[in-house]
Amino acid sequence: MAAAPVWSVDPRTGNPREQVAVEATAEEVDRAVRAAHAVRGSLADRTVRAAFLRTAADLLAEAGEHVIEAADAETALGPARLTGELARTAAQLRAFAEVVDEGTFLDIHIDHEDGNRTPPWPDLRRYKIPLGVVAVYAASNFPLAFSVPGGDTASALAAGCPVVVKAHPDHPATSELCASVLRRAAAQNGLPEDVVNLVHGFEAGVALVRHPLVAAAGFTGSIRGGRALFDAAAARPTPIPFHGELGSLNPVVVTEAAAAERGEQIGAGLAGSMTMGAGQFCTKPGFVLVPAGGTGDQLLKSLTDVVSDSASAVMLDQRMRDAFVAGVRERAELPDVTAPVTPGAGSEHTVAPGFLTVPAQRLTADGPHDALLEECFGPVTVVARYETEDEITAVLSRLPGNLTATLQTATEETDDSAARLLAALTPLAGRVLVNGWSTGVAVAPAQHHGGPYPATTSTSTSVGATAIERWLRPVTYQTTPDALLPPELRESNPLGLPRRVDGHRE
């Protein structure tokens, strides 16, 4: 049987653009993984790794015009958005080069022999080593920053792990272009090109997570697809870590005082955040608790005005568009649900933004309205009107895990009520915001992009410096002669690495 072709498709028209590749067979996946596994030792030198990451950033920037053109043709995200995403992607690569240079990620601890302790301590020296080949599953909504050259790839390479990327079918040409840039960057730094490999196809993705030489996986996508791969990773004879980002509602609570103080501003901010990128951000605020009554009405008027003026948009592919149209129709038909601005189909290939409202009381117990507490990918949000703080906490107690949770308060609102609401939001998410909007994830050392299931399948972050920790494991050497130790753990610290010795930071 001939291998299935992989087509690049224009989401603005639904028409195929070009055949980019063919779907990888099981044998081809095996070759890609074995090739990556064979060259894992080439990434051992931290200086070379850091130089590789910086070269990759430079080459991506140099190829920027072609990369943006290809990505826009396959995603309809627009040159402005993609220019920013390319800059972010290059910045991620450079940031991980700095992490590699600095060396703290190795988490070196040395405890010298101490016979006076009970029981006595032997000489113990601990650091972290790379896991091995990492499978990366590219995201649809970020063809650069969360795809082939994105954060999972950058952090895995920084950890010293070669990667095999399963390209997303929504942007195969962009994936091929970016993979070629990364492989060229490897070659320019004396590394084998096989430290980065690319495969296409659904079955290839399944074969990849099951391959015995794959040591860990990173995924960004749907709950259904991510959970299937997560289960496959756990069911292997040797289970592997699976760091998946699956879905998020990103709840927002607007206090009565906040709505009274700046309801118009909050409404406009919510409209901008929920429609950004056609509502295809994993951090889109998809559920908002707003007070009933006049103060909340003013907020909704502002939201209505701005969303009504928002243009229809092209989604990433026809399947997502159809799922959005069906999803909002199902939700809008529920009892007591209204649509001040009706979301749904725009033209044949576009969607119209909108929002739904419902009394919060409808969401305090199990029932058909539970669909309103599930993510709907696209430019829509659900506004639940609450009467009391007890209704807020009752609804929040029923929400799944999220990437973000937001509290909108008044300027001077620091009373017990605000503190209670913040405490109720904190268990729900990995990032908790006050008086901000969740769309936009800064690539910073203190960032955490993750959250309780189903937001993610682990407690790790996929953004920021600590994302590197996903691809490492600790190992301790006990009573080992100095000459046999890795250079990172030798007494003289020949590499000048940061470390903690006998409990004290050197």
Side-chain angles (χ1 to χ4, degrees), residues 158-169:
C161 297
V163 298
V164 179
V165 183
K166 189 270 180 187
H168 197 280

Side-chain angles (χ1 to χ4, degrees), residues 184-197:
R184 186 152 47 93
Q188 288 188 15
N189 287 277
L191 293 170
E193 291 185 347
D194 284 335
V195 294
V196 177
N197 277 315

Side-chain angles (χ1 to χ4, degrees), residues 65-216:
E65 181 179 348
H66 300 296
V67 171
I68 291 167
E69 181 182 10
D72 180 52
E74 294 186 307
T75 66
L77 290 173
R81 149 71 193 273
L82 291 166
T83 297
E85 187 179 334
L86 179 64
R88 172 203 171 122
T89 306
Q92 283 181 160
L93 289 161
R94 295 189 179 101
F96 279 112
E98 293 178 4
V99 169
V100 174
D101 281 339
E102 197 262 345
T104 301
F105 75 96
L106 293 168
D107 195 24
I108 299 172
H109 289 257
I110 295 176
D111 292 317
H112 290 105
E113 182 179 0
D114 186 349
N116 294 322
R117 290 181 177 269
T118 304
W121 282 9
D123 187 272
L124 299 168
R125 295 164 187 254
R126 176 186 186 272
Y127 79 145
K128 292 182 177 179
I129 61 174
L131 288 174
V133 177
V134 170
V136 172
Y137 293 81
S140 62
N141 56 341
F142 282 86
L144 306 175
F146 282 84
S147 291
V148 173
D152 284 353
T153 296
S155 58
L157 293 171
C161 297
V163 298
V164 179
V165 183
K166 189 270 180 187
H168 197 280
D170 278 356
H171 46 259
T174 308
S175 298
E176 287 285 345
L177 178 55
C178 290
S180 70
V181 169
L182 294 181
R183 288 168 66 87
R184 186 152 47 93
Q188 288 188 15
N189 287 277
L191 293 170
E193 291 185 347
D194 284 335
V195 294
V196 177
N197 277 315
L198 183 70
V199 296
H200 297 267
F202 175 82
E203 293 299 332
V206 176
L208 186 57
V209 79
R210 290 175 174 166
H211 197 286
L213 295 181
V214 167

Side-chain angles (χ1 to χ4, degrees), residues 170 212 295 403-404 412:
D170 278 356
T295 56
L403 295 170
T404 75
E412 302 298 329

Side-chain angles (χ1 to χ4, degrees), residues 343-369:
S347 65
E348 182 182 359
H349 298 290
T350 65
V351 294
F355 69 96
L356 308 175
T357 67
V358 65
Q361 183 63 38
R362 279 286 194 176
L363 305 171
T364 57
D366 292 345
H369 289 77

